[in-house]
């Protein structure tokens, strides 16, 4: 029989997908929810970090008094005499502050504004930090949200909090889809600037400023710390050499905090963490999140201290150096410094309102700038599996639960009449009952779930490999994507769905799971079937799966972005990071 290339009729559930807006409309968005002032757990006590203000002020006063009385001691005076602050054997820099250094300093400051604010916004989507791999309530060491309520379903989305629009980007609750585009694309620019900075630093003599070349840096740091604390500042030779404390703090910022931020950021990704095997298991996502945050806190502290020192140690001279490139008594640098601050101020005010208004544009520009690079991580093998003892005692639920008559009826009959429909660009479209699925060879795996919001959890999943399903239905060569349709709607109406590249469906750990931790998957976690795809973030693992359609393109599905959260929350359809 001649084969006619009749296009298969599209999955009827397509009609139940919804269109989406290109901006955030407040009346459609998650209602705001205030968090609480950040708290840190010490033992079993939660301490409000606001105590930092009175305790810090008292400590500062004590430190000043201590440093001043220390300087009265002849031995300390002699020590400062011998170690005035700048390691005398350190070579001076001959080139002052060249234009490229000034430019990179400005760009770094400018980029950090976006990176840090967008990073906080991401954190506000799961406003808790942990050291362990699982996110069991009560095991957090830092939070700006109340304890997890007991006796009711409390999803990770319920847990997210609003930030002020001047602080987060864009500040509204659960907007990390947008803040992630800012965070990652500006990170790329910041990284390029940083690499160029390292290269120029070491190809000129400028690295002498930052890299201590003698052990003298330690007594010099101690000496300058005492001098600063006594409010009788050390002599300033910043044009040619930094003193011990400057060298120490700049070195840590440039050569420790920055690389640590990059590595701990990447290690939060499912594709990267799972591809790295034992390394990813040892440096688990929650520990990496915590270190990422501590590194952020260092940057905040550094910026506050550095900014204050610029003013109190001579604003005219300091801005002449870093914004004017001159070492004289003129006012060359100060107006340029003001201009830089004005640019920062305007950017600061504009970015949140513009992001809310042009959300889809932010999504598109972000995907253009960084989506392709993030997508590279999909090529790595996410093979990492854990053991039974790693299974999390608590696994956060997430998403919008099914609430249709159809689902209730299925559930009432224990899914006896449920059918999984597979259609689209396949040679053998088929329907499977749950019994059919369970009759196929079962695969079990213990893997980590990485939710985009920041939480993670380990569970043992049992189900059928998607590759076995593919072998039965035989996708045609034109089939490039698998669309998973859920029985449940998404938060803003319209059916939940998500699109996966077909390569990901062939991976041995991609399964349709009907068991979780040895029991049938609960309704909360996606009964009767939910997807596991270990190199993607959690939102792509559709729960309550009812149909899978193979397609060549997804532009005509829903709002065309490749999934419900892609359409409605401005995520990217490839999210291995
Ligand atoms: N149908 C449907 N599937 C969904 C969601 C949803 O809202 N609807 N949420 C996703 C998100 S954001 C995550 S993190 C996981 C959560 O799975 P869990 O509830 O088993 O933890 O399911 C994903 N699958
Ligand atoms: Mo998620």
């Amino acid at each position: 029989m001649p084969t006619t290339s009749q296009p298969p009729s599209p999955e009827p559930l397509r009609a139940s997908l919804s269109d989406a807006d290109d901006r955030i409309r407040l009346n459609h968005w998650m209602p705001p929810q205030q968090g609480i002032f950040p708290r840190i757990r010490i033992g079993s006590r939660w301490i409000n970090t606001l105590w930092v203000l009175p305790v810090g002020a008292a400590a500062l006063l004590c430190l000043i008094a201590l440093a001043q009385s220390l300087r009265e001691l002849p031995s300390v005076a002699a020590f400062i005499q011998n170690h005035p602050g700048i390691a005398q054997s350190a070579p001076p820099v001959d080139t002052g502050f060249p234009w490229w250094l000034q430019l990179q300093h400005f760009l770094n400051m400018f980029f950090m504004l976006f990176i840090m604010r967008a990073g906080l916004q991401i954190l506000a989507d799961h406003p808790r930090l942990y050291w362990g791999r699982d996110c069991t309530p009560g095991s957090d060491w830092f939070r700006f949200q109340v304890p997890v309520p007991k006796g009711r379903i409390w999803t990770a989305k319920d847990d997210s909090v609003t930030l002020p629009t001047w602080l987060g980007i864009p500040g509204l609750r659960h907007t990390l889809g947008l803040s992630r585009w800012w965070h990652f694309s500006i990170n790329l620019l910041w990284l390029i600037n940083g690499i160029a900075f390292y290269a120029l630093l070491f190809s000129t003599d400028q690295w002498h400023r930052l890299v201590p070349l003698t052990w003298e840096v330690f007594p010099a740091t101690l000496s300058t710390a005492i001098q600063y604390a006594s409010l009788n500042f050390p002599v300033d030779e910043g044009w040619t050499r930094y003193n011990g404390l400057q060298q120490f703090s700049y070195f840590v910022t440039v050569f420790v905090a920055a690389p640590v931020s990059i590595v701990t950021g990447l290690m939060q990704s499912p594709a990267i963490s799972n591809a790295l095997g034992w390394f990813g298991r040892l440096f688990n996502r929650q520990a990496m999140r915590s270190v990422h945050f501590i590194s952020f806190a260092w940057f905040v502290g550094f910026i506050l201290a550095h900014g204050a020192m610029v003013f109190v140690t001579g604003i005219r001279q300091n801005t002449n150096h870093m914004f004017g490139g001159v070492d004289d008594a003129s006012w060359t640098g100060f107006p340029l410094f003001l201009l830089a601050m004005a640019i920062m101020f305007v950017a600061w005010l504009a970015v949140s309102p513009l992001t809310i208004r042009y959300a889809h544009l932010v999504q598109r520009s972000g995907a253009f700038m960084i989506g392709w690079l993030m997508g590279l991580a999909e090529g790595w093998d996410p093979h990492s599996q854990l053991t039974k003892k790693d299974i999390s005692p608590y696994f956060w639920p997430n998403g919008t639960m099914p609430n249709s008559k159809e689902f209730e009826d299925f559930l009432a009959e224990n899914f006896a009449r449920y059918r999984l429909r597979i259609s689209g660009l396949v040679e053998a479209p088929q329907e499977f009952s749950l019994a059919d699925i369970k009759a196929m060879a079962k695969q079990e795996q213990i893997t980590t779930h990485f939710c985009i919001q920041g939480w993670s959890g380990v569970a043992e999943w049992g189900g059928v490999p998607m590759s076995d399903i593919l072998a039965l239905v035989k996708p045609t060569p034109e089939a490039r994507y698998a669309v998973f349709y859920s029985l449940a709607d998404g938060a803003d109406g319209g059916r939940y769905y998500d699109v996966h590249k077909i390569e990901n469906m062939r991976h041995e750990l991609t399964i349709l799971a009907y068991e979780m931790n040895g029991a049938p998957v609960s309704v909360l976690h996606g009964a009767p079937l939910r997807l596991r795809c270990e190199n993607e973030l959690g939102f792509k693992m559709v729960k309550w799966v009812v149909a899978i359609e193979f397609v060549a393109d997804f532009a005509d599905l829903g709002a065309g972005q490749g999934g419900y959260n892609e359409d409605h929350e401005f995520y990217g359809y490839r999210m291995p990071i």
Side-chain angles (χ1 to χ4, degrees):
M1 221 172 58
T3 50
T4 52
S5 58
Q6 269 253 331
S9 52
E11 166 58 53
L13 290 180
R14 273 186 185 208
S16 57
L17 305 182
S18 55
D19 202 1
D21 240 320
D22 63 356
R23 67 178 85 179
I24 292 185
R25 293 197 197 273
L26 292 183
N27 54 347
H28 274 255
W29 204 254
M30 250 192 165
Q33 169 170 265
Q34 294 311 315
I36 58 172
F37 207 82
R39 267 146 233 252
I40 289 184
R41 182 168 59 84
I42 298 178
S44 58
R45 283 181 65 98
W46 283 97
I47 296 170
N48 193 323
T49 52
L50 261 182
W51 281 105
V52 163
L53 294 179
V55 172
L60 200 62
L61 290 177
C62 293
L63 198 71
I64 293 169
L66 178 72
Q68 289 182 342
S69 30
L70 273 178
R71 288 190 78 165
E72 308 274 306
L73 297 178
S75 56
V76 175
F79 171 72
I80 291 176
Q81 190 82 43
N82 288 338
H83 301 280
I86 296 163
Q88 286 311 308
S89 52
V93 170
D94 296 326
T95 46
F97 289 82
W99 66 269
W100 57 264
L101 191 65
Q102 300 169 45
L103 178 67
Q104 292 189 319
H105 176 262
F106 170 74
L107 288 177
N108 188 65
M109 174 166 81
F110 188 69
F111 294 155
M112 283 299 243
L113 158 75
F114 296 91
I115 293 171
M116 295 173 75
R117 288 182 56 197
L120 264 187
Q121 186 73 61
I122 295 170
L123 182 61
D125 240 72
H126 189 71
R128 309 175 187 276
L129 293 171
Y130 320 78
W131 292 108
R133 191 182 287 116
D134 57 88
C135 300
T136 305
S139 71
D140 36 358
W141 66 268
F142 173 92
R143 58 173 163 86
F144 47 103
Q145 173 60 297
V146 295
V148 175
K150 292 199 174 86
R152 54 159 294 188
I153 292 175
W154 185 253
T155 67
K157 277 183 190 157
D158 294 331
D159 205 47
S160 63
V161 296
T162 310
L163 291 179
T165 46
W166 62 263
L167 183 60
I169 298 176
L172 303 178
R173 187 170 168 212
H174 190 52
T175 45
L176 88 167
L178 294 164
S179 41
R180 279 170 53 99
W181 291 125
W182 281 110
H183 196 68
F184 291 125
S185 40
I186 305 294
N187 276 345
L188 178 64
L189 302 180
W190 179 75
L191 188 68
I192 293 170
N193 188 47
I195 291 171
F197 173 64
Y198 275 28
L200 286 163
L201 205 60
F202 288 103
S203 58
T204 63
D205 63 352
Q206 288 293 334
W207 63 280
H208 295 158
R209 286 184 189 284
L210 303 186
V211 182
L213 286 171
T214 84
W215 294 111
E216 247 187 288
V217 68
F218 291 107
T221 302
L222 181 63
S223 163
T224 37
I226 296 171
Q227 294 178 67
Y228 279 118
S230 71
L231 300 184
N232 181 359
F233 294 162
V235 280
D236 190 344
E237 293 179 29
W239 183 252
T240 53
R241 280 188 300 189
Y242 286 155
N243 67 44
L245 200 62
Q246 285 176 308
Q247 202 166 51
F248 174 80
S249 54
Y250 294 158
F251 182 88
V252 170
T253 303
V254 171
F255 297 110
V256 181
V260 161
S261 293
I262 295 166
V263 171
T264 54
L266 291 172
M267 292 289 292
Q268 296 174 48
S269 132
I272 296 175
S273 183
N274 281 331
L276 292 178
W278 66 269
F279 192 80
R281 289 193 293 272
L282 182 63
F283 298 104
N284 74 70
R285 184 192 218 195
Q286 297 311 320
M288 295 299 94
R289 260 180 102 227
S290 289
V291 176
H292 200 68
F293 179 76
I294 290 168
S295 177
F296 161 83
W298 168 275
F299 277 112
V300 173
F302 175 82
I303 291 167
L304 291 177
H306 177 66
M309 291 318 259
V310 167
F311 282 87
V312 300
T313 64
I315 184 80
R316 177 170 9 173
Q317 179 198 283
N318 290 331
T319 54
N320 271 348
H321 287 184
M322 199 44 112
F323 293 84
V326 295
D327 187 35
D328 56 26
S330 69
W331 283 97
T332 313
F334 190 67
L336 291 163
F337 166 74
L338 287 184
L339 178 66
M341 289 300 129
I343 294 172
M344 299 274 290
F345 185 69
V346 171
W348 193 304
L349 288 187
V351 63
S352 283
L354 288 179
T355 300
I356 292 168
R357 171 63 187 81
Y358 299 103
H360 183 54
L361 183 65
V362 169
Q363 179 187 29
R364 269 180 28 211
S365 322
F368 173 78
M369 278 181 68
I370 197 88
W372 58 277
L373 194 57
M374 288 166 70
L376 289 183
E378 281 173 344
W380 298 8
D381 179 12
H383 60 274
S384 188
Q385 296 189 55
L386 296 102
T387 58
K388 280 216 195 299
K389 68 171 180 6
D390 301 313
I391 292 176
S392 305
Y394 182 92
F395 199 98
W396 279 78
N398 213 1
T400 310
M401 303 300 145
N403 73 344
S404 62
K405 176 89 173 56
E406 184 193 19
F407 188 83
E408 264 171 41
D409 291 347
F410 279 147
L411 190 60
E413 301 168 334
N414 212 3
F415 299 104
R417 258 191 286 178
Y418 162 89
R419 295 290 177 272
L420 170 69
R421 193 163 58 236
I422 306 195
S423 63
L425 299 173
V426 290
E427 286 176 23
Q430 269 183 65
E431 286 195 356
F432 297 87
S433 69
L434 201 51
D436 295 336
I437 296 279
K438 287 184 177 170
M440 294 170 68
K442 178 163 99 180
Q443 173 169 316
E444 288 179 332
Q445 62 200 45
I446 302 177
T447 51
T448 311
H449 181 92
F450 293 72
C451 172
I452 191 170
Q453 293 181 263
W455 62 271
S456 53
V458 179
E460 181 176 35
W461 300 98
V464 279
M466 274 303 293
S467 58
D468 291 353
I469 304 257
L470 258 55
L472 289 175
V473 300
K474 300 191 182 65
T476 65
E478 294 82 57
R480 291 180 59 210
Y481 304 99
V483 187
F484 289 78
Y485 295 89
S486 176
L487 284 164
D489 280 353
D492 195 27
R495 189 176 296 271
Y496 196 92
Y497 76 107
D498 203 81
V499 178
H500 285 265
K501 295 215 303 203
I502 198 160
E503 291 79 9
N504 263 353
M505 298 297 101
R506 298 202 172 100
H507 191 274
E508 59 197 10
L509 291 180
T510 302
I511 65 172
L512 275 177
Y514 50 82
E515 275 180 14
M516 180 184 186
N517 298 333
V521 170
S522 63
V523 169
L524 194 57
H525 291 294
L529 288 176
R530 66 94 49 86
L531 180 65
R532 295 294 317 160
C533 176
E534 307 297 351
N535 65 353
E536 298 285 356
L537 290 170
F539 73 91
K540 297 200 66 77
M541 298 185 218
V542 177
K543 302 197 284 189
W544 315 290
V545 175
V546 67
I548 306 172
E549 183 184 9
F550 288 85
V551 297
D553 185 22
F554 53 79
D556 48 350
L557 294 175
Q561 302 304 309
Y564 192 87
N565 288 342
E566 291 87 331
D567 290 344
H568 294 266
E569 296 180 356
F570 310 102
Y571 295 1
Y573 92 91
R574 300 195 304 175
M575 286 252 159
I577 293 186

